[in-house]
Amino acid sequence: MGMGNEAFVPSLATVRQYAEQIRANVARVIIGKLDVIDLLLVALLSDGHVLLEDVPGMGKTVLAKALARSLGATFQRVQGTPDLLPTDIIGVSYYDQKQNEFVFRNGPLFAQILLVDEINRTTPRTQSALLEAMAERQVTVERESKQLPRPFLVLATQNPVELEGTFPLPEAQLDRFLLRVQMGYPEEQEEQEILHRFKLNEPLDTLQPVVSADEFVALQRAIRGVQWQPEVERYLLAIVRATRQHDAIQLGVSPRGTLALYRACEAYAAIQGRDFVQPDDIKYLAPFVLGHRILTTNRNRMRGRRSQEIIMEIVQAIEVPVETIASPPATR
């Protein structure tokens, strides 16, 4: 581990090194799914949040816990239900008779990694309290602002199949998530390995942190050093702008979505150990970052999958800059 002090100024090579260690650590518990682990690292490095859309039992909770363990980060889990109140997530003020004053008891929101299971079972009021905190990185209690910890990652899950008794997240709220990801079923040999891996012990208990939370915050700053070439930037803009003119899209990607993709590409390049963004980074991330930021014209039931497909079609249709994309010349 690095030096747990202020002097820790990581290079982009260090970002890759730590990313590899975290990936390997989480992979001791989660079989396969390296792409999903990488996407979570992208969200963490970009200081964003993730919506995991999948049926129950895919290992989302284990994944979130393994990530928290790897960062030595605090972890909380909240189960979404219709009677969950904002105070159940944020915390509550109570009168302490000994101290003769009101004291605030932190809710699960004050964890560095918060898993909110079935966010679409909570009422719009609770959803908006949570999403506001995610965006603002702080909550206001009794007119006093309380900062949330760093790093701060909300992993919210929703079951895309079950729509009974749920409150679907409004489009404006979906926009708060950097990425929307599906884990999907494991391959056959992966599933067999899951049986063997968990037969004798609980590998989660043996996970050790590979980086401290403070060091991770320094890694978040380091990815800002990733460079863009003008033609790669134009390629990203062309994809985003195409969503605003597409026949199947009622509402295209907002500038917030453009910035989200920009940030995510920097983080993805950094965990690959590069100091520049390639068109392939944009191609790969676009469906995860932009899929939930468009409103399709036919609001079909599985609209999540459909909108990711539309983004893929747009990406395929736009010409990739052909010049050799290499590390930009040093600007010193």
Side-chain angles (χ1 to χ4, degrees):
M1 279 169 78
M3 307 149 287
N5 60 20
E6 291 305 302
F8 180 61
V9 182
S11 66
L12 288 167
T14 321
V15 176
R16 180 185 190 166
Q17 205 179 322
Y18 274 123
E20 280 173 357
Q21 288 176 5
I22 294 167
R23 191 191 293 131
N25 216 32
V26 175
R28 288 170 53 194
V29 181
I30 294 284
I31 318 267
K33 307 283 168 261
L34 289 174
D35 52 341
V36 178
I37 300 171
D38 276 357
L39 288 168
L40 292 190
L41 282 172
V42 164
L44 264 166
L45 284 166
S46 313
D47 210 8
H49 307 287
V50 180
L51 183 63
L52 282 169
E53 263 194 344
D54 245 317
V55 295
M58 291 293 189
K60 297 183 286 271
T61 307
V62 178
L63 177 62
K65 282 183 177 170
L67 197 61
R69 286 268 166 97
S70 302
L71 302 181
T74 53
F75 174 80
Q76 289 283 339
R77 177 181 171 275
V78 172
Q79 177 61 50
T81 55
D83 58 358
L84 190 77
L85 298 171
T87 50
D88 295 330
I89 292 183
I90 294 167
V92 68
S93 282
Y94 65 99
Y95 187 70
D96 186 322
Q97 289 183 318
K98 268 196 202 132
Q99 297 184 34
N100 200 15
E101 60 179 359
F102 280 94
V103 180
F104 181 71
R105 187 189 290 129
N106 284 354
L109 185 65
F110 287 85
Q112 289 163 317
I113 293 187
L114 173 65
L115 178 68
V116 182
D117 256 328
E118 301 194 282
I119 190 172
N120 52 339
R121 291 204 173 283
T122 61
T123 58
R125 187 174 158 218
T126 301
Q127 285 175 4
S128 64
L130 171 67
L131 290 149
E132 185 183 356
M134 282 161 49
E136 306 291 331
R137 294 289 189 278
Q138 61 175 26
V139 287
T140 306
V141 183
E142 315 279 332
R143 293 192 292 281
E144 192 192 333
S145 288
K146 292 186 175 293
Q147 294 296 319
L148 293 174
R150 298 198 59 182
F152 175 58
L153 172 74
V154 174
L155 285 172
T157 77
Q158 59 178 9
N159 177 349
V161 183
E162 225 177 316
L163 296 174
E164 290 293 309
T166 61
F167 305 90
L169 287 168
E171 269 69 20
Q173 303 283 36
L174 277 175
D175 208 14
R176 300 274 182 211
F177 291 96
L178 179 75
L179 305 168
R180 180 170 63 183
V181 181
Q182 286 98 17
M183 283 180 80
Y185 290 106
E187 303 287 323
E188 189 180 350
Q189 69 266 40
E190 289 172 352
E191 199 153 10
Q192 195 171 9
E193 202 182 320
I194 290 170
L195 300 178
H196 299 168
R197 175 109 31 127
F198 289 87
K199 184 178 158 90
L200 296 173
N201 58 6
E202 182 52 76
L204 198 56
D205 299 339
T206 62
L207 285 195
Q208 295 298 319
V210 292
V211 57
S212 74
D214 288 349
E215 287 167 339
F216 200 87
V217 172
L219 297 180
Q220 288 177 332
R221 286 194 294 270
I223 66 162
R224 297 282 164 265
V226 172
Q227 304 287 313
W228 287 81
Q229 281 172 298
E231 60 267 40
V232 181
E233 253 176 31
R234 283 195 293 272
Y235 177 60
L236 180 143
L237 290 170
I239 291 171
V240 169
R241 299 184 78 79
T243 67
R244 301 170 190 165
Q245 280 117 29
H246 196 281
D247 294 344
I249 300 175
Q250 201 177 327
L251 209 59
V253 173
S254 70
R256 186 199 287 167
T258 314
L259 194 58
L261 183 54
Y262 194 74
R263 284 273 164 88
C265 287
E266 292 176 346
Y268 189 67
I271 65 174
Q272 309 293 322
R274 273 185 279 108
D275 61 353
F276 61 98
V277 174
Q278 288 178 342
D280 276 356
D281 301 336
I282 302 169
K283 265 184 162 170
Y284 175 64
L285 289 171
F288 301 110
V289 180
L290 306 180
H292 56 292
R293 288 184 158 87
I294 59 173
L295 192 53
T296 51
T297 41
N298 56 335
R299 306 198 49 172
N300 50 6
R301 185 171 152 177
M302 295 296 280
R303 66 178 190 266
R305 299 286 154 100
R306 176 78 188 111
S307 49
Q308 283 198 336
E309 281 160 23
I310 293 172
I311 297 292
M312 283 173 179
E313 285 163 22
I314 287 174
V315 168
Q316 292 308 319
I318 288 174
E319 206 177 329
V320 182
V322 269
E323 295 93 303
T324 325
I325 303 294
S327 197
T331 45
R332 283 197 277 284

